[in-house]
Amino acid sequence: MRVAIISDIHSNLSALNAVLSDADRRGVDELWCLGDIVGYGPEPRECLEIVRRRAGLCLSGNHDMGVVGKVSLAEFNPYAAAANKWTAQVMEEEELAHLGSLPAKLVWEDFTLAHASPREPVWEYVMSPPIARASFAHFETRVCFVGHSHVPLVCPETQDGGNCSLFPLPEESPLPLGAGRTIINPGSVGQPRDGDPRASYAIYDSQEDALYHYRVPYDIASTQDKMRSVGLPGYLIERLSQGH
């Protein structure tokens, strides 16, 4: 089985379509989404409809929760809060109810999926060795997929209990998973923050027991034009082309 793992779409339909087209070309059998389907971008309803139709497993992220009122918009920076407020106004009640029904963390066979971290699945960023080390105490499976930071990373568990090291997820080369436990972030589909504005996602190949990380170009200018047309904050518009 080949599973596409995506995260942090953020209402960016052009990026989502580019990723799914690339994943289909590579022969994926299933799709898993780590949350933050909406927020920031201009096409939340369209992105949610596709994810509902395609994803076998799907989480809710902090932006999804902000849009439906499960977390306060006061917890977000002003740009994100404004985008979430706009998103809530344009979505249908049934769509909001579906977003609100999604979990922030789940376990499926040998995989844990958490939007932010397995310890605190809504807000915590797995971006430092101490947080990565602490995260291993909060899941029991061999692999934990996380999103939230928008940065593609891999963190193997250390055998001596010391600080874990976080490494950039290699692009296109197979990453064998092996017997050790690992935390993996596939990066962001709709708003990358690692200096590369291309959409980011991963494919897990169960036959090889390996992960592949891919970057996919998409029409950034078109997404930016759509954001301007609905009055989303300029900061959110400009950062798409900068990849931060």
Side-chain angles (χ1 to χ4, degrees), residues 149-164:
S149 72
H150 300 207
V151 177
L153 295 171
V154 56
C155 177
E157 185 178 25
T158 57
Q159 299 303 311
D160 59 6
N163 272 347
C164 302

Side-chain angles (χ1 to χ4, degrees), residues 1-243:
M1 182 173 71
R2 288 169 62 80
V3 182
I5 301 107
I6 64 173
S7 190
D8 298 280
I9 301 163
H10 285 299
S11 303
N12 189 333
L13 182 62
S14 180
L16 177 59
N17 282 335
V19 161
L20 294 181
S21 177
D22 190 75
D24 288 339
R25 180 175 62 84
R26 298 180 189 278
V28 298
D29 305 296
E30 194 168 337
L31 178 73
W32 296 351
C33 177
L34 305 178
D36 274 359
I37 303 163
V38 302
Y40 291 138
E43 293 172 290
R45 299 186 64 198
E46 294 84 349
C47 289
L48 178 61
E49 188 277 327
I50 291 172
V51 171
R52 292 180 71 171
R53 176 164 41 87
R54 292 284 306 261
L57 301 175
C58 189
L59 302 181
S60 178
N62 56 305
H63 286 258
D64 303 321
M65 294 181 187
V67 166
V68 303
K70 293 182 74 172
V71 299
S72 171
L73 292 184
E75 300 293 324
F76 296 87
N77 68 57
Y79 310 108
N84 285 343
K85 184 177 180 180
W86 174 84
T87 301
Q89 293 171 344
V90 300
M91 296 187 75
E92 300 288 343
E93 287 298 324
E94 188 275 335
E95 294 167 334
L96 295 172
H98 178 77
L99 272 183
S101 72
L102 298 173
K105 178 181 176 181
L106 60 82
V107 177
W108 179 261
E109 297 182 345
D110 205 20
F111 301 91
T112 298
L113 282 63
H115 173 66
S117 82
R119 178 170 68 171
E120 203 295 289
V122 179
W123 288 107
E124 185 172 61
Y125 291 92
V126 183
M127 291 286 288
S128 69
I131 291 178
R133 180 182 62 185
S135 294
F136 281 99
H138 294 270
F139 70 97
E140 299 179 356
T141 59
R142 186 169 60 107
V143 178
C144 179
F145 289 115
V146 300
H148 190 51
S149 72
H150 300 207
V151 177
L153 295 171
V154 56
C155 177
E157 185 178 25
T158 57
Q159 299 303 311
D160 59 6
N163 272 347
C164 302
S165 295
L166 292 88
F167 304 98
L169 202 57
E171 189 175 341
E172 300 203 9
S173 301
L175 176 71
L177 297 187
R181 301 170 73 221
T182 310
I183 298 171
I184 298 169
N185 189 322
S188 170
V189 170
Q191 195 198 79
R193 294 180 186 169
D194 62 338
D196 187 335
R198 295 176 298 166
S200 178
Y201 82 106
I203 292 176
Y204 170 68
D205 188 311
S206 63
Q207 184 172 353
E208 297 181 29
D209 195 25
L211 191 89
Y212 291 82
H213 172 224
Y214 297 107
R215 305 302 293 244
V216 185
Y218 73 95
D219 191 345
I220 295 173
S222 173
T223 299
Q224 291 174 318
D225 286 343
K226 291 174 183 176
M227 293 173 75
R228 291 186 187 97
S229 71
V230 298
L232 289 168
Y235 171 72
L236 301 180
I237 297 169
E238 297 307 317
R239 75 184 305 179
L240 282 186
S241 55
Q242 299 164 1

